[in-house]
Amino acid sequence: MVRTAVGFTALAIGLSWAVWIPLAWSASDSPIKDLGSFGPALAALIVVMARPDRRAGWVSRLKTWRVPSRWYVLVLVGPVVVCAAAVLAAQAVGVTDLRFNDPAQLYLVVPVFLVVLVLGGPLGEEPGWRGLLLPTLTERTAFPVAGVIVGIVWATWHLPLFLIPGTPQSDLPVLAYLALTVALGVIYGAVAEHTRGSVAVAIVLHAASNTAAGLLPVLPPDAGGSSVPFLALTALVILVAAAVLGRDVRHRHRRHRPTH
């Protein structure tokens, strides 16, 4: 378990950073940066090709998409609700220069979602993070701990993006973003755990989250340079992650409570 997890992590970071570090060094905003997001998926493919005993489980998680429809509703609507709540919280404390999209352009939501799905990270990341690393860790470690570990690895993987012009991360406070990513790692992991390891549901959630954050003014470019909406978003997501972890811990405690 440890060798697989460490090997995958090193490979995923190495493949992505091989693309991103030269761009960060040269401060170059190049479309090639999108290729780096496929590092985790490629790393997972390499690992399962080298470890046939991991292949069937990985493929099964990739193929698992038939889950109760409520999960798809939750992962599509949930990110919109949280981002909207962050915007309302920012307005409540006096942030006014929020640039909302024209409602007449709502028809663009689906095309934007599809672009984000392919090039915005979900398709290149989830087969690795939730498809291989999370289930590998949960073989020996309870989910609450495994979810946090995956979140920390995922946050670390993003670091070079803060130094590349044109990335969303280049406009964001580093510590808040890292905290947000760890919290999202817990939430995405919980969703995967409750949908029989479905990578498809995790991909949809990831794409919906990125799309909602891009369409609603929670990022500084759309908030007049203010970080308040993003900080509010971070706080809300951390609260959701804490609730998820608390629920899981209580459930495990009840399940293992001795009976008399």
Side-chain angles (χ1 to χ4, degrees), residues 121-147:
L123 207 58
E125 297 180 42
E126 295 307 324
W129 305 136
R130 260 57 67 174
L132 182 65
L133 184 57
L134 181 65
T136 299
L137 291 174
T138 53
E139 290 174 6
R140 298 286 181 87
T141 308
F143 165 71
V145 176

Side-chain angles (χ1 to χ4, degrees), residues 1-2 4-10 12-13 128-130 132-158 178-190 241 245:
M1 182 275 289
V2 174
T4 300
V6 171
F8 163 77
T9 298
I13 290 176
W129 305 136
R130 260 57 67 174
L132 182 65
L133 184 57
L134 181 65
T136 299
L137 291 174
T138 53
E139 290 174 6
R140 298 286 181 87
T141 308
F143 165 71
V145 176
V148 171
I149 293 173
V150 174
I152 292 171
V153 171
W154 190 24
T156 303
W157 173 81
H158 283 90
L178 296 180
L180 172 69
T181 306
V182 173
L184 286 174
V186 170
I187 295 168
Y188 289 12
L245 289 176

Side-chain angles (χ1 to χ4, degrees), residues 8-32:
F8 163 77
T9 298
L11 193 55
I13 290 176
L15 289 169
S16 296
W17 285 20
V19 176
W20 291 338
I21 287 180
L23 296 177
W25 182 265
S26 62
S28 173
D29 179 12
S30 168
I32 199 174

Side-chain angles (χ1 to χ4, degrees), residues 79-150:
V80 177
V81 171
V82 175
C83 286
V87 171
L88 291 174
Q91 290 177 319
V93 297
V95 178
T96 57
D97 192 15
L98 298 174
R99 303 167 191 169
F100 289 90
N101 289 283
D102 185 349
Q105 295 182 331
L106 282 177
Y107 70 92
L108 294 175
V109 169
V110 173
V112 169
F113 176 88
L114 294 176
V115 171
V116 169
L117 181 75
V118 178
L119 298 178
L123 207 58
E125 297 180 42
E126 295 307 324
W129 305 136
R130 260 57 67 174
L132 182 65
L133 184 57
L134 181 65
T136 299
L137 291 174
T138 53
E139 290 174 6
R140 298 286 181 87
T141 308
F143 165 71
V145 176
V148 171
I149 293 173
V150 174

Side-chain angles (χ1 to χ4, degrees), residues 48-80:
V48 299
M49 292 302 292
R51 293 286 307 274
D53 57 308
R54 300 277 173 181
R55 196 175 306 161
W58 185 65
V59 171
S60 175
R61 287 185 287 275
L62 292 181
K63 292 167 62 177
T64 300
W65 62 272
R66 291 180 180 273
V67 301
S69 58
R70 66 177 182 274
W71 284 104
Y72 285 106
V73 173
L74 177 65
V75 301
L76 286 169
V77 175
V80 177

